[in-house]
Amino acid sequence: MAQVDKNATRETKALYQNLKSLSQKHILFGHQHATEYGHGWSGDAERSDVKSVTGSHPAVIGVDFSGLSDRPEEEIAKMKEVLRKNVVDTYHRGGVTTAAWHFSNPASGGGFYWKDSVSVAAMALIRPGGSHHEKYRQILRTIADFAGSVKGRDNKLVPIIFRPYHEFDGDWFWWGKGHTSREDFIDVWRFTVSYLRDSLHVHNFIYAFSPDCKFNTEAEYLERFPGNEWVDMVGMDDYADFGRDGKYNLEAGLKKLKIVSDYAEKAGKLAAFTETGLETIPNPTWWTETLLKTLRAEKMKLAYVLVWRNDTRSATHFYAPFPGQGSAADFMKFYNDPYTLFEKDLKNIYK
């Protein structure tokens, strides 16, 4: 079971192996931006909405590399520092970091979303030989520089699960299926990994591949897969089958998770449920009756499940409970289930 980076740091290799063995009988719970901000608060030390409800932070903390490009240098430097502290603090507490990348279009306006009449199909432009390839290298150098800055008190680099170009099977992001060919997508993926690993000597990344849920077979799942030597973890994002807009199709959700888990098992990879959740969690037993039931249904081996963020300002944009929220009691049942692991349950995940 080889990792993408044979020169990965000892801690990165240990995290990989520990996630693999924990996933035999458990799943880590994750929450995006959990310790940066939450429902009605921002930047408080040692706080997360999950911890306020359960007494423990999530086992996996989601961060984002979106702030590392497309803004003034001094702003990027500030973002890097906030992010660095967050990642290192999580490491010291014994938790795990995963980084998504809502990457602003490097060739046009429109941000990371595809905006008609604004966005340019940039995957063909940033690949080797493309007009924006040099700019892309520069952006990756910023990411590599950040990766080299996250050192713990033990002077070790903190491992990060890096999940670029997620939900690429939809059209909402500029790297989405409708805006790039399969070849360009795979070329950019392979270049990204090899440039970070071989040229920039980033050895603390675990590389995660995660489409949205627009597949029904393994062949469809692997349509844009860059190859086993370029991916450490396979996952999927799925809100659609788990109650979004009041629509539940748990059978379909389970079938897709099983495709991911089975492929990982066969290929010697990690598997994860890289994003899910139910906005505002109107269903008071969603955690045990929807999520946990599905996760436990088929003896799948998933390293973690991550729900999306709790926005500071929006009263309705949240995916994890906070004290007093209607699903908090059920979330405690989910927390207390021996199958789920939170930060307090992790022991020496980097050893």
Side-chain angles (χ1 to χ4, degrees):
M1 190 182 68
Q3 275 174 257
V4 163
D5 183 0
K6 62 178 191 310
N7 299 317
T9 66
R10 204 146 134 209
E11 291 68 32
T12 307
K13 284 177 174 161
L15 175 62
Y16 187 93
Q17 295 297 345
N18 286 327
L19 287 174
K20 191 80 181 148
S21 56
L22 285 172
S23 70
Q24 308 299 306
K25 292 199 173 126
H26 299 282
I27 193 164
L28 279 64
F29 176 75
H31 187 205
Q32 186 71 16
H33 298 304
T35 50
E36 292 170 67
Y37 55 75
H39 189 72
W41 63 274
S42 180
D44 298 5
E46 283 304 303
R47 184 171 180 181
S48 70
D49 285 341
V50 167
K51 186 182 175 187
S52 299
V53 173
T54 64
S56 172
H57 286 307
V60 176
I61 308 286
V63 300
D64 207 303
F65 285 168
S66 61
L68 301 184
S69 65
D70 195 37
R71 45 189 79 193
E73 279 305 306
E74 59 277 15
E75 211 178 305
I76 290 176
K78 245 183 243 160
M79 293 293 301
K80 267 189 188 162
E81 186 41 43
V82 171
L83 204 52
R84 187 196 64 77
K85 187 179 181 320
N86 187 3
V87 170
V88 170
D89 286 351
T90 296
Y91 175 73
H92 288 151
R93 293 190 315 265
V96 178
T97 295
T98 179
W101 192 16
H102 286 86
F103 178 16
S104 251
N105 196 316
S108 73
F112 52 86
Y113 282 121
W114 180 267
K115 294 202 175 121
D116 286 335
S117 81
V118 176
S119 300
V120 166
M123 285 306 249
L125 309 180
I126 64 174
R127 60 172 285 176
S131 59
H132 287 62
H133 181 63
E134 196 36 62
K135 185 175 183 184
Y136 186 50
R137 281 174 179 250
Q138 196 185 329
I139 289 165
L140 290 178
R141 287 197 289 272
T142 305
I143 285 177
D145 179 59
F146 174 74
S149 76
V150 289
K151 278 194 173 153
R153 285 189 292 265
D154 55 8
N155 212 27
K156 306 288 189 204
L157 288 169
V158 180
I160 295 172
I161 299 164
F162 179 41
R163 193 170 66 94
Y165 301 119
H166 70 299
E167 297 176 7
F168 55 81
D169 50 343
D171 291 337
W172 45 90
F173 297 137
W174 60 262
W175 56 84
K177 196 171 173 174
H179 318 302
T180 179
S181 71
R182 176 179 177 271
E183 292 66 30
D184 286 347
F185 182 85
I186 289 173
D187 265 5
V188 169
W189 184 284
R190 290 175 178 171
F191 170 76
T192 303
V193 173
S194 62
Y195 190 60
L196 287 170
R197 177 191 66 192
D198 307 332
S199 303
L200 302 175
H201 311 296
V202 173
H203 298 305
N204 52 328
F205 277 4
I206 286 170
Y207 294 91
F209 170 88
S210 68
D212 198 57
C213 55
K214 298 187 175 299
F215 61 93
N216 290 297
T217 63
E218 184 186 281
E220 287 176 1
Y221 179 75
L222 297 174
E223 194 250 333
R224 298 193 164 212
F225 190 66
N228 282 328
E229 65 276 35
W230 301 99
V231 172
D232 291 308
M233 172 186 273
V234 290
M236 77 154 175
D237 295 5
D238 190 351
Y239 298 89
D241 296 321
F242 288 82
R244 176 179 264 177
D245 304 324
K247 294 187 189 85
Y248 287 86
N249 191 347
L250 301 182
E251 211 175 303
L254 175 59
K255 184 183 152 192
K256 294 167 198 176
L257 279 174
K258 184 117 174 61
I259 289 169
V260 174
S261 172
D262 288 352
Y263 182 76
E265 194 69 359
K266 194 165 64 181
K269 302 291 171 193
L270 293 170
F273 195 174
T274 43
E275 270 184 48
T276 189
L278 180 60
E279 193 174 29
T280 72
I281 329 162
N283 172 351
T285 58
W286 187 83
W287 300 102
T288 57
E289 292 302 312
T290 299
L291 186 59
L292 190 59
K293 233 179 214 172
T294 307
L295 294 172
R296 296 197 78 155
E298 286 271 5
K299 297 255 181 296
M300 293 180 293
K301 292 167 183 166
L302 302 168
Y304 71 84
V305 56
L306 178 136
V307 299
W308 201 238
R309 69 195 192 119
N310 287 9
D311 189 41
T312 298
R313 290 180 298 272
S314 164
T316 56
H317 189 66
F318 62 86
Y319 289 82
F322 43 85
Q325 197 274 329
S327 74
D330 188 59
F331 189 69
M332 279 309 292
K333 283 186 194 158
F334 176 84
Y335 169 77
N336 286 316
D337 193 287
Y339 179 63
T340 62
L341 301 178
F342 285 66
E343 195 173 84
K344 276 188 172 168
D345 304 316
L346 301 180
K347 304 278 176 280
N348 297 327
I349 198 140
Y350 298 106
K351 292 211 164 67

